[in-house]
Amino acid sequence: MQHSELLLVLDFGSQYTQLIARRVRELGVYSEIHPFNISIDKIRSLRPVGIILSGGPSSVYESGAPKPSPEVLNLGIPVLGICYGLQLIAEQLGGKVDSFARREFGKAVLHVDRDDDLLQGLDGSTTVWMSHGDALSQMPEGFEPIAHSENAPICAIRNSSKRIFGVQFHPEVAHTLQGKKVLANFLFNVCGARGDWTPAHFVQQSTKDIRARIGSARVLCALSGGVDSSVLAVLLHEAIGDQLHCIHINNGLMRNGESDEVVETFRKSYHIQLTYVDATEIFLARLEGVTDPETKRKIIGNTFIEVFEIEAKKIAGSDGAFEYLAQGTLYPDVIESTSFKGPSVTIKTHHNVGGLPEKMNFKLLEPFRELFKDEVREVGTMLGLPAHFIERHPFPGPGLAVRVLGEITRERLDLLRKADEIFIAEIRNAGLYNDIWQAFVVLLPVRSVGVMGDGRTYEYTVALRAVTSVDGMTADWSRIPSDVLAKVSNRITNELRGINRVVYDISTKPPATIEWE
């Protein structure tokens, strides 16, 4: 998609790089993340209104530290360096950066010395988030300090004529109370951005682009019922109508009533051509006796491809083959393969079923490859999808297979479905559902002794998992009130024969992952 204005974020390995891009987009300016060593020719071709240099874990004076071409600072394009980005600006333009005697990690008070351009409208003293061990000891020529903290006499700098700025703190994180104001000042006061990037603009532009690209071709879409595939199906239907055909495969690992709801909603409310396939028997037969998580994922992925391919051929029939396969690839997936950090170590196979493009003869259609998850939700709202679809928590591609630890049986799946339904119902009743990023129940391959009435029981244990997160890359456990947890536990153990113990997972990510498998 062509964008009328673009803010370029250069990635030096900061854990907050995605957050910078998200904050910029929240302010109405389209942003893209590129590796720190992007070529100058590529930068020129992108024609950004401004460039932000991210933070990073390196020290600029170390051998092998990531550095962009010095030409980046001579393009005449406004630049804002954040933390490591500030130190890069100083180092490349003749200033000095030293390992500081006292490192700063956490909240600090910023004192504003120049309250125009970058820091316009900020309070004289404001809380910011620091995360650095190095600091400027000497500014480059032509720069002046515009803010300081108790520990950093040079906490923000500028060269107004060159429109180059640097801050030692992180304006992109929520702990920097007026951080969004700093970014807005850079975008609008310094870069002169218009701020016309909105969900409405995306829907209008992408609908036009899809029509132009597809022409009269047919498009196939795997509709799981999750947020991404649901919004994708409605957007495509809006653009190309009956040239779209969706397939929903029930793998027997869905939550209670999920497949029925997907079919009902998309056939009746949206009149989308949808083929429903109940492949429960084949999936469960192939998973019988399997306990290894990676093996489960591979079996499910391969079986999905097989079933999908058979159905695609059936549907194509006399109307001719499908030329395009639509997928809900999101921007974080794209960043992961191109960022400075490179492809991340495989902790587990990705939740979403992959591999379809390699196995099948389709052209790929990925309208959301420029969007973050929250932007997809906004697009869904714009398109009129029901709130309960838009607000749904993420659900893994392998479904409940990765929440039944150990061997998968019908009995265990049924128990887990019912327990999960109780947990979700109670957090909804307590008004907590939308405050939680993801909540679910895990059935453990552990039986323990319990007492029911006058009798002894020997039954399963389930773990409740609920986390808060922005994008799933890091997560904290949700502080669900104890009375809500007590109600969930009482209902599960009283209503479900086979479970006599409920535990609550209070692990963060890292070191744990959100899902257990």
Side-chain angles (χ1 to χ4, degrees), residues 60-126:
V60 291
Y61 48 76
E62 286 175 350
S63 169
K67 293 181 183 178
S69 164
E71 192 65 23
V72 168
L73 300 175
N74 294 317
L75 291 171
I77 298 168
V79 175
L80 171 63
I82 295 174
C83 197
Y84 179 81
L86 159 72
Q87 294 158 19
L88 266 174
I89 290 169
E91 195 258 356
Q92 292 197 328
L93 295 178
K96 282 191 183 165
V97 177
D98 294 310
S99 177
F100 226 47
R102 185 174 151 215
R103 301 185 304 165
E104 277 188 304
F105 293 95
K107 290 180 182 176
V109 176
L110 181 80
H111 300 285
V112 176
D113 301 315
R114 299 279 186 276
D115 63 354
D116 54 347
D117 51 48
L118 188 69
L119 305 182
Q120 185 179 323
L122 264 68
D123 298 336
S125 297
T126 183

Side-chain angles (χ1 to χ4, degrees), residues 10-17 20 36 52-68 73 79-92 97 130-136 157 165-172 340:
L10 296 191
D11 179 21
F12 294 91
S14 170
Q15 61 179 319
Y16 303 132
T17 300
I20 298 169
F36 71 92
I52 293 181
L53 310 179
S54 83
S58 307
S59 292
V60 291
Y61 48 76
E62 286 175 350
S63 169
K67 293 181 183 178
L73 300 175
V79 175
L80 171 63
I82 295 174
C83 197
Y84 179 81
L86 159 72
Q87 294 158 19
L88 266 174
I89 290 169
E91 195 258 356
Q92 292 197 328
V97 177
M130 298 283 201
S131 180
H132 66 99
D134 299 331
L136 263 63
I157 64 171
F165 296 78
V167 294
Q168 187 61 76
F169 57 92
H170 286 272
E172 69 274 25
F340 155 59

Side-chain angles (χ1 to χ4, degrees), residues 236-254:
L236 289 171
H237 192 250
E238 187 107 336
I240 57 171
D242 285 348
Q243 288 167 247
L244 169 71
H245 197 111
C246 293
I247 299 178
H248 175 73
I249 297 171
N250 180 357
N251 55 15
L253 305 165
M254 311 286 278

Side-chain angles (χ1 to χ4, degrees), residues 104 156 291 321 375:
E104 277 188 304
T291 58
E375 292 175 317

Side-chain angles (χ1 to χ4, degrees), residues 222 247 249 251 283 299-309 353 356:
I247 299 178
I249 297 171
N251 55 15
F283 277 91
I299 289 169
I300 292 163
N302 291 335
T303 306
F304 184 92
I305 291 163
E306 191 182 310
V307 173
F308 192 90
E309 192 164 22
V353 176
L356 287 175

Side-chain angles (χ1 to χ4, degrees), residues 294-433:
E294 277 301 296
T295 308
K296 285 181 190 176
R297 288 172 182 276
K298 282 179 183 146
I299 289 169
I300 292 163
N302 291 335
T303 306
F304 184 92
I305 291 163
E306 191 182 310
V307 173
F308 192 90
E309 192 164 22
I310 291 165
E311 292 303 319
K313 283 177 183 164
K314 278 188 204 166
I315 299 162
S318 57
D319 293 332
F322 288 92
E323 196 173 327
Y324 288 88
L325 174 72
Q327 288 198 157
T329 307
L330 301 187
Y331 193 43
D333 304 326
V334 177
I335 297 167
E336 190 147 309
S337 61
T338 60
S339 72
F340 155 59
K341 298 177 287 301
S344 57
V345 175
T346 299
I347 297 168
K348 59 186 175 222
T349 306
H350 199 270
H351 294 321
N352 295 319
V353 176
L356 287 175
E358 292 78 17
K359 301 269 184 181
M360 304 172 76
N361 211 11
F362 287 124
K363 292 176 187 169
L364 262 191
L365 184 63
E366 298 173 307
F368 297 157
R369 62 182 286 110
E370 294 180 343
L371 300 189
F372 288 105
K373 187 86 172 186
D374 54 333
E375 292 175 317
V376 173
R377 293 186 199 276
E378 288 176 33
V379 168
T381 302
M382 277 286 312
L383 292 167
L385 264 86
H388 71 277
F389 262 101
I390 299 299
E391 293 158 1
R392 291 183 90 173
H393 292 174
F395 188 62
L400 300 181
V402 292
R403 294 177 182 173
V404 171
L405 304 199
E407 187 182 354
I408 295 164
T409 66
R410 287 178 191 274
E411 176 218 7
R412 290 178 175 180
L413 283 169
D414 288 343
L415 264 180
L416 178 58
R417 279 192 190 96
K418 289 167 187 167
D420 194 75
E421 196 169 31
I422 289 169
F423 186 30
I424 299 302
E426 289 304 330
I427 61 173
R428 281 193 188 280
N429 290 342
L432 300 172
Y433 187 83

